[in-house]
Structures are given as C-alpha cells and as structure tokens.
Amino acid sequence: MSTPSLETDRAHLMHPLHHPSSYATARVWVSGRGAIIMDAAGRDYIDGLSGLWNVNVGHGRAELGDVAKQQMSTLAFHSAYAGGTNEPAIKLAERLSGLVYPSINTFFFTSGGAEASETSFKTARFYWKALGKPDKIKVISRRRAYHGLTLAAMSATGLQAFWPMFEPRTPGFLHIDAPDPYRFTNTDPSISLGVAAANQLDEAIRREGAETVAAFIAEPVQGAGGVIVPPPDYFARIREICSKHGVLLIADEVITGFGRTGRWFGLEHYGIEPDIMQFAKGITSGYVPLGGIGVSDAVRDVINGVPPGKRWMHAYTYSGHPTCCAVALANIDILEREGLPKRAAASGDRLLRGLRTLESTDGVGNVRGLGLMAAVEVVRDKATKQQFPPEAGLTQKLTDALLDRGLYTRVAMDCICLAPPLVTTDAELDRIVNIVGETIPAVLAAQVEHK
Ligand SMILES: Cc1ncc(COP(=O)(O)O)c(C=O)c1O
C-alpha cells in the first residue's frame, strides 16, 4: 500500500541493510501498545521481535516519555568526559552494579550495541597492554554471531552476508563454530556436544598462540544468527579455557540482557561470570538509544592503575547521556516492579511448548528457545537438515507471509526468530504459534507449485 510518506522515504532515506527492492513490502509503523504495533494503513500486528529484540517492556509506556521530558527540561545533555559527570549516569551505574554479575561493578555507556562491541575490544587490548602484553590483540568469536556492524564489530560478527562489500575486515578477528545443538557435529563420543564446541576455542587459542589472543566474545544465546541456545555445559568449559589461557571472556548481552531469557542476564543460566559484559537494547527497551559495557573489578583495577599519560583514551560524545540514563533507570523500575524477567521465563515456556507442537509439520526442522527468545528453523529435508537454496528466497517469503497473517518478525537464514515483548499476553503467544503453524505449510506449498 503506497502512502505519500513512503514516496518521500524512497526519495530521501537510506535504511539499515538498504536496498530499494525492499520497498515493495515496506510498512510505515505509526503506533504501538503492549505487544501490538500498527501501520499507517491502520492494520494491527503482533510485534514478534519487540521491534529489534529490544522493546522488552512493550510499546506505549508513557511514563518513560514523562521521565525523558523531565530530564530534558532539567539537563538534557552535558559532557561526561573525565572530570564531569551527571546524576542519572551515576545512579544507573550504581543500579547496574547491584543487578549484573557480582564481579562486575563498573560501567561505561555508549549509544548502542556496536559501540559497546568496539569498547569491549579496545578495553581488552588496553588491559593486556597495561599488563605489559602488547601482542595480545586478537579477538575470537563464533560463526553466526552478531556483534554489530561498525568495522571491528562487523569483523567479529560471524554472519558472512555482512562482509563482502565492506572488506577487508579488521585484521586479528577469527571465528570458531557456533554451539548449535541442531547442526554441530561432535566427532568425539567421549565428550558432550557442549564441551566439543567449547574445545574449538582451546584449539583456536593454541593455534594462534595465547600470547596473541586478547578476548573471546559470545552472546549467551546467539540472536540474529537464528537463536542458538548452547548446551548447558558449554559456557563452563568456555570459562575454564579463557581462564587457563589468559583470554578475557566478553559476554555480549545486547539481546539477552534485561530479562529476555527469563533471568536478568543470559549467563546466569550457565553459572559463570564474564570479565567484560556488554548491553544495549533492553536497558531502555528502545525508548531512547543506550548501550554500554561493564568490567570486572580486576579489569577496572588495571584500567584505574595506569599513569594518567596512558589513560583509557576511549570516548563517545553521548557516553553517560543524562536523558538516556534517566530513561534506563525508569525502564529498570518497570522490569522490576512488574517482575518481567520471571514473566519471560513463564511466557517463554508457553511459547516453546506451543512451537514444539509444530515439530511434526513438514518443513519444521528444529524448534528451540530460552525465555522469550525462540526460533523455528525451516528446512527442505528434515532427515538431512538440508536448507532451501538462497535462490528460493524462503527467508523473504516467510517474512512476508507472516506479516500478511498479522505477525511482524525477522527470519534469519530460514529460522523464524521470535522475541516478543516480555508483556505479551498468553492469548497473543498462542496466536503467534497459530500464525507460524499456518504460515510454514502455506509458504512451502507455494514453493512446490512454482517449481
Ligand atoms: C548481540 C548483539 N550485539 C550487538 C548488536 C549491535 O547493536 P546495535 O545495532 O545497537 O549497534 C546487536 C544488534 O542486534 C546484537 O544483537
């Protein structure tokens, strides 16, 4: 449906992952309430991805707007560069230290996730240089990881589709396999799949030389790569390997933070603590842009211990933005007051139970999830797990067909990703399952007809 504003969009706006061909299906989003979003044509959709995995408290929370207005009328912005600070940033850092992993009590704020990735990588290098190990610069991540799209973050991102037209990537970034219980092949029957997948890190560090590796970065549950939930023993082995080799463990909690997985932070499921954690998205539920990193007390002590001339020379204008920090505090109030992490655990169980009833459907290769992060992977052949070829364009067809039935979400490599707001009602969750259950056979039937 063409609207005047869409014409203007075509004339003047470039979008994330931009290509003009995407406008055939473009929608102008105009309003939202809870888990529902509405387009300019007046049609309602369930927001199956909370915007972009971030609107954790749901749409239409006027109180977050009130807090932003209050802070903007008092002090919208001032610099938080060394020597200056502001109350909302101080309060937020203090609040986070009580909320995240016990060993992490010190925070730096950014405007989003990719800036957080850059900050983590630079901090890892800084840490080792400050300790007299200037050659520890490499960063290891996983295939199908998503850590953002600035140049170094893109180089850590393990989704190859993002690379070719922007290469060369930043040197010193390498990848191991994702711990995907559906697709990882464990050739050693004496160890579990989780340990086998983690051992690839051990091999990579030995191959590169521990004296050259600064950090390993991992999302507790890989999101944009298709919601990959590692086996329960994966991260304990990862922690052991990082500690043994002197490699910092960076947890990218940009999606998994702030209740998404049914706990406040994703690695709580795995019983380990990272050296650096990064967050964004859910910290403000997307109402204003904010991200950041938290560092362990050990990392903080090294940063604080260098002489002033060797200071941590990293900065963003909007670090510690008072308005964004004030909104984050109010957003965390809502998450706490309404018990949303716990609700995500219960709602996630319901969603996953519902999606698992689709496992016998033709084309449904795998159903997986943790809390309110889930995916249904669509395959051409369930026995061999073979996917449809890219020319089949299944990802776009599934996305469009879900939208036609009133469900907004993203499909990654034929995995239908689902991460609705933590306030999604049981009826809405059941509707998501019904729509996914109707859509897959309909799209696959049309696929056969066109051959
Ligand atoms: C795990 C993870 N890290 C980093 C990012 C990058 O965040 P941003 O798009 O705010 O730069 C994302 C975005 O989806 C993400 O999912």
Side-chain angles (χ1 to χ4, degrees):
M1 186 159 307
S2 174
T3 64
S5 56
L6 204 46
E7 301 278 314
T8 315
D9 179 297
R10 284 188 197 106
H12 298 294
L13 198 51
M14 269 176 76
H15 291 266
L17 314 183
H18 185 81
H19 192 272
S21 62
S22 299
Y23 296 99
T25 54
R27 278 167 174 79
V28 182
W29 302 113
V30 291
S31 64
R33 184 144 304 274
I36 302 296
I37 38 168
M38 189 190 276
D39 69 10
R43 184 164 177 208
D44 284 348
Y45 301 77
I46 297 179
D47 186 356
L49 205 67
S50 305
L52 262 176
W53 318 82
N54 55 348
V55 187
N56 289 11
V57 299
H59 299 279
R61 296 279 192 167
E63 74 178 89
L64 296 182
D66 295 341
V67 166
K69 183 177 177 202
Q70 175 63 34
Q71 183 61 43
M72 283 180 175
S73 2
T74 313
L75 179 72
F77 174 78
H78 205 274
S79 165
Y81 270 48
T85 189
N86 65 76
E87 284 179 13
I90 298 169
K91 280 192 195 151
L92 180 58
E94 184 191 30
R95 186 82 172 267
L96 289 175
S97 74
L99 212 53
V100 306
Y101 306 99
S103 62
I104 292 187
N105 294 293
T106 313
F107 301 88
F108 174 79
F109 295 113
T110 68
S111 298
E115 284 184 357
S117 293
E118 303 290 331
T119 305
S120 293
F121 304 150
K122 288 177 70 178
T123 299
R125 287 184 174 184
F126 180 97
Y127 173 82
W128 292 117
K129 284 184 205 298
L131 290 179
K133 300 189 174 174
D135 297 329
K136 281 174 83 68
I137 55 167
K138 293 178 189 164
V139 174
I140 303 176
S141 59
R142 281 115 32 112
R143 297 189 182 90
R144 298 177 71 181
Y146 190 85
H147 299 297
L149 294 180
T150 51
L151 200 52
M154 179 199 84
S155 306
T157 288
L159 293 161
Q160 297 183 14
F162 291 103
W163 299 342
M165 297 301 281
F166 300 106
E167 301 216 74
R169 282 170 276 146
T170 306
F173 284 76
L174 50 140
H175 300 87
I176 59 171
D177 282 335
D180 176 0
Y182 181 54
R183 293 196 177 273
F184 186 90
T185 311
N186 179 12
T187 51
D188 183 349
S190 69
I191 52 173
S192 68
L193 187 149
V195 170
N199 282 349
Q200 283 199 2
L201 177 62
D202 193 52
E203 287 153 27
I205 296 172
R206 286 174 196 278
R207 195 174 57 238
E208 298 295 318
E211 68 287 357
T212 70
V213 182
F216 173 65
I217 181 168
E219 302 154 81
V221 176
Q222 281 170 262
V227 185
I228 299 169
V229 186
D233 56 355
Y234 176 75
F235 274 111
R237 178 70 184 133
I238 288 285
R239 180 66 270 182
E240 200 174 86
I241 293 166
C242 286
S243 301
K244 180 178 70 176
H245 289 296
V247 166
L248 295 179
L249 173 57
I250 303 168
D252 185 343
E253 299 250 14
V254 164
I255 289 179
T256 52
F258 300 95
R260 170 59 59 195
T261 67
R263 304 267 180 100
W264 275 93
F265 295 92
L267 284 185
E268 290 173 26
H269 291 279
Y270 294 90
I272 62 143
E273 295 189 32
D275 302 297
I276 298 177
M277 66 177 298
Q278 47 188 67
F279 49 83
K281 296 190 187 279
I283 189 169
T284 54
S285 290
Y287 278 71
V288 288
L290 185 70
I293 72 164
V295 297
S296 70
D297 297 345
V299 172
R300 179 211 47 214
D301 289 347
V302 170
I303 293 172
N304 285 348
V306 301
K310 287 201 168 165
R311 70 177 59 226
W312 189 76
M313 207 67 179
H314 179 69
Y316 299 112
T317 295
Y318 294 128
S319 180
H321 194 296
T323 303
C324 301
C325 292
V327 171
L329 282 162
N331 176 64
I332 292 169
D333 283 344
I334 296 174
L335 287 164
E336 267 179 2
R337 193 173 66 225
E338 300 184 8
L340 293 183
K342 208 164 162 202
R343 179 164 168 183
S347 300
D349 283 349
R350 186 185 184 97
L351 179 64
L352 199 57
R353 261 200 321 276
L355 294 172
R356 289 219 158 112
T357 64
L358 308 177
E359 276 172 335
S360 55
T361 307
D362 271 356
V364 174
N366 187 238
V367 173
R368 52 191 180 251
L370 184 66
L372 271 178
M373 280 179 90
V376 177
E377 182 159 346
V378 179
V379 293
R380 179 185 214 159
D381 184 330
K382 287 171 79 142
T384 63
K385 304 180 184 176
Q386 191 200 10
Q387 292 193 297
F388 284 87
E391 319 77 85
L394 200 70
T395 288
Q396 192 60 49
K397 286 176 188 164
L398 285 167
T399 309
D400 294 344
L402 290 165
L403 265 177
D404 287 346
R405 289 171 176 76
L407 175 61
Y408 169 83
T409 196
R410 289 183 67 76
V411 183
M413 294 160 299
D414 301 348
C415 302
I416 300 172
C417 297
L418 296 163
L422 311 191
V423 295
T424 307
T425 64
D426 285 352
E428 288 161 343
L429 292 169
D430 297 347
R431 176 104 188 96
I432 290 174
V433 173
N434 288 338
I435 293 175
V436 172
E438 278 168 31
T439 302
I440 295 170
V443 169
L444 294 189
Q447 195 80 359
V448 171
E449 277 160 29
H450 286 136
K451 270 191 191 145

